[in-house]
């Protein structure tokens, strides 16, 4: 009944669309689209298609196709108007297609031949409508800077759904795209400069984008595979030259090669069109330059004879091998490097284009070792590395892209099989960069020229490049990268002294050291670790001596402004540096070493913490990112080295305890969890030390307000009071009850008398006898002899966790405490 009502209202779609444009109700149309989406979600594709065949001579998918066509036309015909029905309905209808076709690739619910025909017709309408819109917008004088941003975010999602529709009928949609592309390419070739090619170029731009989605999946963070619908289709194709996917691929790549000709490039290849070319190449290379263990040979006669029964398998084999036949793969890689170099040097200032080149295209070709192994042998790749190492043509790239390019080029070293050749590759790549930084730091006139804009820019570029290489550390390349880092250690300290008032340079230095330590920590021996830790300690001391990043309390109110808070982002880098230094692997090397002069990592970390914590106010800890970094470090230190707390000076100890007090009341569950872990570590250490007849943390006393004024109390007393206050009287989250139990149990062992006194005081305050009785029973059950047993026994700790959760639930059920 519901479906019949929907069908009667929205048929025919073009009449309803015209009615809406003339003032008819758009909400009812959108409701109808929602109804179709709901029905698609509750049925299979074939069942959905059959829903209206009893009352109409066509299937539901045909209706969906007609509705989507009208929505697409409405959106593209009225882009300058404020009406939203077309946009809203198109989103709903495309999601309906996604539900229906989402499992087609897995052959779970393929649509019928009639449904595939409807999808093919819809895709042709979509493409033709978009091409018309692209041509019409070619001469519009509007700010289109966000156009490509949209295509890789919101529009990227839409194009992916268009591609899903196209793959429902690849035998017709792929040749259709190939024909359109060939026609536009031919138009450019026939113009000979006689007419304006702008409209054709706009059409090519959109065709490149949609084709890249049809032929490939986005696959962020994954190994891309050729879409299943394309592999399973075209079972009647015998030769690669006849395969629509192959011909379309080579057609686009051959068109893209034209940009290498300076004359053609000047006429046609604007930065905007180059963005689409790079976008296509990045996705295509990641998908079709597949591992070489896929069969690359010609198809045998026996295979040709079996095409009728095994055509799908042959199509798969063909698509997975065609890109490497006749050395085509090596030629494509060479072209990729050439076009990348072109984009980075010829299109200076085109940040979007250069970002795509560095972070998409070049990153793609080094990601897979089989392609990277060919890549590093190319003359074009050697030219790129030489230009990076010694030339000035790439210095115009932004700092972020300098870092990204350095990381990509350095990663390629791991694909060189010969270890010595790999090491020499990195020395040739990064040696000049490190040498240039050393040279700048060693200038006799450094202090007089350091503040010049060009000198600061050069130093920042070099630091970004070194940071990128540091992030590329792998087992085969670690030694060379450590040599590079060791070479620049003293120059970096010099630069930190000179640029103490230049926050940008200071931050660059800190971030390089953070990434360098992070990449090297798991590989270093005791001698290397000693050198690295000593350098980091000296870095911290210089940072502290110049009071860099000092947070004045008088400025705390202005820190509510996020842009103002960014001035202190170097503190996050320092915290991450300390966290990286005390990583388990780094500590493990030294703890197993008897080398004379090896530093005490814990001592170094606490010295660093003593340097950093005065720079961090409680106001700064209100900023989530800084707060998380701080408490990650704090919890790690207190869990691994609780014994060091006993030797901290009074001020340092008070800062640590004060920050834990703050963190336990934080809104971030992760911060609270880490603080509870730190309290557990301190209390457990204190209990075990006392159990062994030692003083534990008795030497560290805290000053607090008592009934008779200020009193001195132990760390265990302090946290016993604080935890009970938070658990019983504040908005404590029950999902953290287990962590709270882990912290409370050792405190109970340390402070049983205090616990009993606090419970007694709480019960005495209760006026309601029933509440008082039930509360006393709950406290008794929590700490009965069966529950409060051996701290070191894991099953008992698990039981105490459950009992504390039950306790909190019981208490909250009969007292309105929370």
């Amino acid at each position: 009944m519901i479906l019949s009502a929907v069908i009667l209202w929205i048929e025919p779609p073009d009449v309803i669309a015209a009615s809406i444009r003339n003032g008819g109700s758009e909400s009812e149309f959108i409701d109808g689209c929602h109804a179709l989406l709901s029905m698609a979600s509750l049925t299979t594709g074939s069942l959905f298609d059959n829903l209206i065949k009893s009352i109409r001579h066509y299937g539901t998918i045909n209706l969906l196709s007609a509705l989507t066509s009208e929505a697409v036309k409405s959106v593209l015909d009225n882009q300058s108007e404020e009406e939203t029905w077309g946009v809203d309905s198109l989103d709903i209808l495309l999601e309906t297609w996604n539900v229906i076709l989402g499992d087609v690739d897995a052959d779970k619910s393929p649509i019928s031949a009639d449904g595939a025909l409807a999808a093919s017709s819809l895709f042709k309408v979509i493409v033709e409508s978009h091409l018309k819109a692209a041509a019409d917008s070619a001469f519009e004088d509007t700010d289109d800077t966000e156009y490509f941003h949209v295509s890789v975010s919101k529009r990227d999602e839409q194009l992916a759904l268009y591609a899903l529709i196209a793959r429902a009928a690849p035998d017709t949609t792929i040749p259709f795209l190939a024909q359109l592309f060939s026609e536009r390419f031919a138009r450019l070739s026939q113009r000979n400069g006689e007419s304006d090619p702008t409209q054709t170029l706009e059409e090519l731009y959109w065709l490149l984008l949609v084709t890249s989605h049809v032929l490939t999946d986005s696959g962020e963070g994954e190994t891309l595979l050729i879409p299943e619908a394309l592999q399973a289709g075209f079972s009647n194709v015998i030769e690669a030259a006849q395969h629509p996917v192959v011909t379309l691929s080579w057609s686009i790549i051959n068109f893209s090669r034209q940009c290498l000709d300076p004359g053609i490039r000047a006429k046609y290849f604007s930065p905007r069109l180059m963005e689409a070319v790079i976008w296509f190449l990045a996705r295509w290379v990641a998908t079709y330059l597949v591992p070489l263990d896929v069969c690359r040979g010609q198809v045998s006669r026996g295979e040709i004879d079996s095409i009728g029964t095994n055509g799908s398998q042959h199509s798969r084999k063909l698509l997975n091998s065609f890109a490497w036949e006749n050395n085509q793969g090596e030629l494509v890689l060479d072209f990729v490097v050439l076009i990348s170099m072109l984009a980075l040097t010829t299109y200076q200032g085109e940040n979007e284009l250069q970002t795509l080149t560095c972070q998409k295209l070049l990153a793609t070709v080094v990601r897979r070792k089989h392609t990277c192994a060919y890549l590093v042998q190319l003359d074009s790749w050697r030219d790129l590395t030489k230009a990076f190492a010694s030339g000035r043509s790439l210095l115009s790239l932004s700092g972020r892209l300098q870092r990204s390019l350095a990381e990509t080029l350095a990663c390629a070293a791991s694909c060189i099989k010969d270890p010595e050749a790999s090491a020499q590759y990195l020395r040739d790549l990064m040696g000049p960069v490190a040498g240039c930084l050393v040279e700048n730091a060693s200038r006799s006139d450094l202090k007089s020229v350091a503040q010049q804009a060009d000198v600061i820019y050069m130093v920042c570029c070099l630091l970004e490049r070194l940071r990128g290489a540091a992030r590329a550390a792998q087992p085969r390349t670690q030694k060379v990268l450590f040599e590079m880092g060791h070479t620049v250690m003293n120059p970096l300290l010099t630069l930190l002294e000179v640029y103490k008032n230049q926050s940008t340079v200071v931050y660059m230095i800190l971030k390089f050291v953070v990434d360098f330590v992070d990449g090297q920590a798991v590989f270093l021996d005791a001698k290397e670790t000693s050198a690295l830790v000593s350098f980091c300690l000296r870095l911290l001391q210089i940072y502290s001596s110049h009071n860099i990043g000092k947070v004045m309390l008088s400025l705390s109110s202005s820190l509510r402004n996020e842009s103002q808070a960014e001035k202190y982002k170097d503190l996050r880098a320092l915290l991450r540096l300390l966290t990286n230094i005390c990583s388990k692997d780094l500590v493990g090397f030294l703890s197993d070493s008897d080398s004379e002069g090896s530093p005490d990592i814990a001592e170094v970390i606490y010295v660093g913490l003593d340097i950093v914590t005065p720079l961090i106010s409680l106001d700064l800890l209100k900023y989530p990112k800084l707060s998380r970094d701080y408490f990650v470090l704090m919890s790690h230190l207190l869990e691994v080295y609780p014994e060091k707390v006993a030797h901290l000076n009074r001020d340092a100890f008070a800062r640590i305890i004060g920050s834990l007090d703050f963190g336990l009341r934080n809104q971030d569950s992760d911060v609270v969890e880490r603080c509870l872990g730190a309290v557990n570590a301190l209390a457990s250490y204190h209990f075990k030390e006392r159990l062994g007849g030692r003083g534990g943390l008795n030497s560290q006393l805290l000053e607090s307000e008592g009934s008779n004024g200020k009193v001195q109390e132990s760390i265990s007393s302090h946290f016993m009071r604080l935890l009970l206050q938070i658990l019983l009287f504040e908005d404590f989250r029950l999902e953290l009850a287990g962590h709270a139990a882990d912290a409370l149990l050792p405190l109970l062992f340390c402070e049983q008398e205090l616990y009993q006194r606090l419970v007694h005081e709480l019960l005495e305050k209760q006026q309601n006898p029933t509440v008082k009785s039930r509360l006393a029973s709950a406290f008794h059950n929590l700490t009965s002899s069966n529950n409060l047993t051996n701290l070191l026994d894991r099953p008992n700790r698990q039981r105490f966790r459950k009992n504390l959760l039950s306790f909190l639930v019981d208490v909250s059920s009969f007292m309105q405490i929370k």
Side-chain angles (χ1 to χ4, degrees):
M1 288 295 295
I2 295 176
L3 179 62
S4 298
V6 170
I7 300 307
L8 290 172
W9 184 81
I10 61 178
E11 184 187 15
D14 57 335
V15 174
I16 298 301
S19 175
I20 293 174
R21 283 191 286 269
N22 293 327
S25 174
E26 62 185 56
S27 62
E28 293 182 13
F29 182 82
I30 293 175
D31 289 342
C33 294
H34 275 297
L36 286 175
L37 175 58
S38 298
M39 286 182 281
S41 302
L42 298 173
T43 61
T44 63
S46 57
L47 180 57
F48 176 82
D49 194 24
N50 289 326
L51 287 176
I52 67 169
K53 285 189 175 180
S54 61
I55 57 176
R56 292 291 183 273
H57 62 279
Y58 50 80
T60 318
I61 289 180
N62 292 81
L63 174 64
L64 179 63
S65 175
L67 291 171
T68 310
S69 297
E70 291 303 317
V72 169
K73 294 173 185 176
S74 173
V75 170
L76 296 177
D77 290 343
N78 301 280
Q79 294 184 75
S80 60
E81 299 179 14
E82 295 184 359
E83 68 174 38
T84 61
W85 76 269
V87 175
D88 293 340
S89 60
L90 180 59
D91 288 342
I92 300 167
L93 294 169
L94 288 177
E95 181 57 29
T96 306
W97 281 103
N98 187 35
V99 171
I100 296 170
L101 300 174
D103 290 332
V104 170
D105 282 353
D107 287 331
K108 292 180 180 178
S109 55
I111 61 177
S112 64
D114 190 43
L117 181 61
S120 173
S121 299
L122 170 61
F123 184 72
K124 289 181 179 180
V125 170
I126 289 172
V127 172
E128 290 170 350
S129 299
H130 274 280
L131 289 179
K132 180 180 181 300
D136 291 344
S137 67
F139 300 107
E140 290 181 2
D141 186 16
T142 58
D143 182 8
D144 207 18
T145 57
E146 295 186 0
Y147 186 73
F148 197 78
H149 283 297
V150 173
S151 72
V152 296
S153 54
K154 169 64 177 175
R155 187 174 177 182
D156 189 41
E157 296 176 6
Q158 190 178 75
L159 287 173
L161 293 174
Y162 288 170
L164 201 61
I165 296 169
R167 293 178 199 163
D171 55 330
T172 58
T173 57
I174 301 297
F176 174 66
L177 286 173
Q179 177 189 349
L180 291 175
F181 193 87
S182 296
E183 289 174 355
R184 269 66 182 179
F185 189 12
R187 284 184 200 171
L188 292 182
S189 303
Q190 296 167 4
R191 288 182 185 277
N192 296 321
E194 296 178 359
S195 58
D196 192 334
T198 305
Q199 288 185 312
T200 302
L201 294 174
E202 282 297 314
E203 291 175 331
L204 282 169
Y205 174 87
W206 194 86
L207 280 173
L208 284 169
L209 289 180
V210 74
T211 303
S212 69
H213 282 79
V214 173
L215 296 185
T216 68
D217 291 317
S218 62
E220 293 294 336
E222 302 175 3
T223 298
L224 295 186
L225 300 176
I226 299 172
E228 177 65 20
L230 302 185
Q231 293 194 65
F234 307 105
S235 58
N236 60 334
V237 176
I238 299 176
E239 301 291 340
Q242 301 170 348
H243 199 296
V245 172
V246 175
T247 56
L248 178 57
S249 296
W250 291 137
S251 177
I252 294 177
I253 290 175
N254 289 333
F255 164 75
S256 303
R257 290 181 191 276
Q258 304 297 311
C259 72
L260 299 180
D261 184 305
I264 297 177
R265 181 172 65 249
K267 287 182 180 179
Y268 304 133
F269 285 88
S270 65
R272 176 178 164 77
L273 184 59
M274 284 291 288
E275 287 172 4
V277 169
I278 296 295
W279 176 253
F280 173 87
L281 288 173
R283 293 172 63 118
W284 188 90
V285 167
T287 303
Y288 290 91
L289 287 186
V290 294
L292 293 180
D293 56 2
V294 177
C295 177
R296 298 171 56 186
Q298 296 293 322
V299 182
S300 68
R301 172 51 54 187
E303 288 174 316
I304 293 176
D305 293 339
S306 67
I307 289 298
T309 58
N310 202 22
S312 178
Q313 181 179 353
H314 172 61
S315 178
R316 293 173 188 273
K317 182 178 178 181
L318 191 152
L319 280 184
N320 280 279
S321 62
F322 81 91
W324 286 99
E325 291 180 350
N326 302 317
N327 297 320
Q328 289 288 350
E330 292 91 330
L331 294 175
V332 170
L333 287 175
D334 186 55
F335 166 58
V336 163
V337 179
L338 291 174
I339 196 174
S340 297
M341 188 68 173
L342 183 71
L344 296 177
T345 57
T346 304
Y347 294 86
Q348 294 187 6
E350 296 295 336
N351 190 59
E352 288 295 340
L353 173 60
Q354 294 177 339
T355 298
L356 283 172
T357 303
C358 290
Q359 299 183 353
K360 292 289 185 183
L361 184 55
L362 287 176
T364 293
V365 294
V366 301
R367 186 178 300 140
R368 287 184 173 179
K369 287 193 174 182
H370 78 279
T371 55
C372 188
Y374 280 90
L375 196 71
V376 294
Q377 301 176 37
L378 297 173
D379 290 338
S380 55
W381 185 261
R382 284 189 281 268
D383 291 340
L384 176 60
T385 57
K386 288 178 183 178
F388 174 85
S390 305
R392 302 185 65 86
S393 58
L394 297 176
L395 287 176
S396 62
L397 297 177
S398 67
R400 179 169 55 91
L401 296 183
Q402 297 276 354
R403 179 171 72 248
S404 177
L405 182 58
E407 182 176 1
T408 296
L409 296 177
C411 279
S414 63
C415 300
I416 301 176
K417 295 182 179 180
D418 179 38
E420 183 52 41
S422 176
Q424 190 58 49
Y425 169 90
L426 266 183
R427 292 189 184 99
D428 293 340
L429 179 72
M430 297 308 303
V433 178
C436 189
L437 187 75
V438 172
E439 182 181 340
N440 274 275
S442 304
R443 292 179 58 165
S444 57
D445 61 345
L446 178 61
K447 290 186 177 180
S448 61
V449 302
Q451 305 305 321
Q452 295 178 6
D454 59 331
V455 177
I456 294 176
Y457 179 80
M458 176 60 72
V459 169
C460 288
C461 281
L462 296 173
L463 288 170
E464 288 283 25
R465 290 183 170 196
L466 291 172
R467 184 183 169 196
R471 296 171 69 171
Q474 297 181 29
R476 179 175 291 186
T477 60
Q478 174 268 327
K479 285 290 183 184
V480 178
L481 291 175
F482 182 81
E483 292 172 6
M484 173 200 75
H486 192 270
T487 300
V488 300
M489 284 180 181
N490 287 330
L492 287 177
L493 297 178
T494 300
L495 292 174
L496 187 62
E497 291 268 13
V498 172
Y499 288 107
K500 57 182 181 290
N501 296 319
Q502 283 284 349
S503 59
T504 300
V505 180
V506 170
Y507 184 63
M508 293 280 189
I509 293 172
L510 293 178
K511 290 300 287 183
F512 162 69
V513 178
V514 169
D515 287 335
F516 182 66
V517 173
D518 186 41
Q520 294 287 325
V522 296
F523 301 109
L524 302 181
D525 58 28
K527 183 179 179 181
E528 293 168 334
T529 303
S530 178
L532 181 60
V533 172
S534 298
F535 160 71
C536 291
L537 182 58
R538 180 64 186 137
L539 181 83
L540 290 167
Q541 289 168 339
I542 294 175
Y543 184 93
S544 178
S545 67
H546 295 297
N547 221 15
I548 303 174
K550 179 72 174 180
V551 180
M552 303 301 295
L553 294 178
S554 60
L555 297 178
S556 60
S557 61
S558 65
L559 293 178
R560 295 177 188 145
N561 186 313
E562 190 66 29
S563 62
Q564 185 75 7
E566 281 298 307
K567 294 181 180 179
Y568 304 96
K569 61 186 179 180
D570 51 341
L571 291 177
R572 288 188 62 209
L574 288 172
L575 293 171
R576 290 186 177 184
L577 173 59
L578 293 174
T579 302
N580 289 343
I581 291 175
C582 68
S583 65
K584 292 181 181 179
D585 296 293
L586 188 59
V587 175
F589 273 111
L590 286 190
S591 61
D592 295 336
S593 173
D594 297 325
S595 302
E596 184 177 351
S598 294
D600 182 344
I601 291 286
E603 203 70 47
V604 172
I605 299 304
Y606 273 98
V607 170
L609 195 62
D610 195 44
I611 290 171
V612 174
T613 50
L615 305 177
I616 301 177
S617 69
L618 293 182
D619 291 290
L620 274 180
L621 290 179
K622 295 176 183 177
Y623 291 90
K625 290 183 179 180
L626 181 65
S627 178
R628 289 194 193 107
D629 288 338
Y630 177 78
F631 286 108
V632 164
L633 173 63
M634 190 67 65
S635 62
H636 182 87
L637 290 176
L638 297 180
E639 289 175 22
V640 179
Y641 311 113
E643 71 280 359
K644 294 296 180 180
V645 175
H647 306 293
L648 291 176
N649 62 53
R650 183 185 181 90
D651 291 339
F653 177 75
R655 283 194 295 269
I656 287 179
I657 302 304
S659 63
L660 288 179
D661 290 354
F662 175 86
L664 287 170
R665 290 186 167 95
N666 202 283
Q667 296 300 310
D668 189 323
S669 295
D670 185 58
V671 168
V672 178
E673 179 183 328
R674 292 187 180 280
C675 289
L676 289 170
V679 172
N680 174 31
L682 289 175
S684 298
Y685 167 77
H686 184 51
F687 170 73
K688 293 172 187 176
E689 288 292 292
R690 286 175 52 183
L691 197 64
R694 296 175 292 274
L697 298 175
N698 283 336
S699 60
Q700 295 286 15
L701 297 177
L702 293 167
E703 192 174 79
S704 62
E705 292 292 335
S707 57
N708 298 318
K710 292 185 177 181
V711 296
Q712 300 286 326
E713 64 176 353
S714 67
I715 186 172
S716 54
S717 299
H718 172 78
F719 282 117
M720 170 65 78
R721 293 178 185 275
L722 181 60
L723 270 185
L724 287 179
Q725 170 70 25
I726 293 173
L727 289 172
L728 296 172
F729 299 103
E730 298 182 14
D731 188 20
F732 184 76
R733 283 154 284 191
L734 289 180
E735 67 267 19
L736 295 173
H739 301 285
D742 291 341
L744 185 60
L745 184 58
L747 291 173
L748 288 172
F749 279 105
C750 294
E751 301 292 342
Q752 293 189 41
E753 292 184 6
L754 174 62
Y755 172 76
Q756 296 296 337
R757 188 166 69 251
L758 292 174
V759 170
H760 179 73
E761 291 175 0
L762 176 61
L763 293 176
E764 286 299 311
K765 293 178 181 179
Q766 295 301 320
Q767 302 298 319
N768 187 316
T770 302
V771 172
K772 183 174 182 178
S773 174
R774 295 181 67 179
L775 187 59
S777 177
F779 274 114
H780 174 75
N781 292 335
L782 177 64
T783 57
S784 65
S785 58
N786 291 331
N787 297 326
L788 196 58
T789 52
N790 191 349
L791 169 66
L792 305 179
D793 190 336
R794 180 179 293 274
N796 288 330
R797 293 206 305 271
Q798 293 296 330
R799 184 164 56 250
F800 186 74
R801 275 180 162 225
K802 295 179 181 178
N803 281 311
L804 180 64
L805 178 59
S806 298
F807 168 80
L808 293 174
V809 172
D810 289 343
V811 170
S812 63
S813 68
F814 61 83
M815 289 180 62
Q816 294 182 349
I817 294 177
K818 293 185 168 30

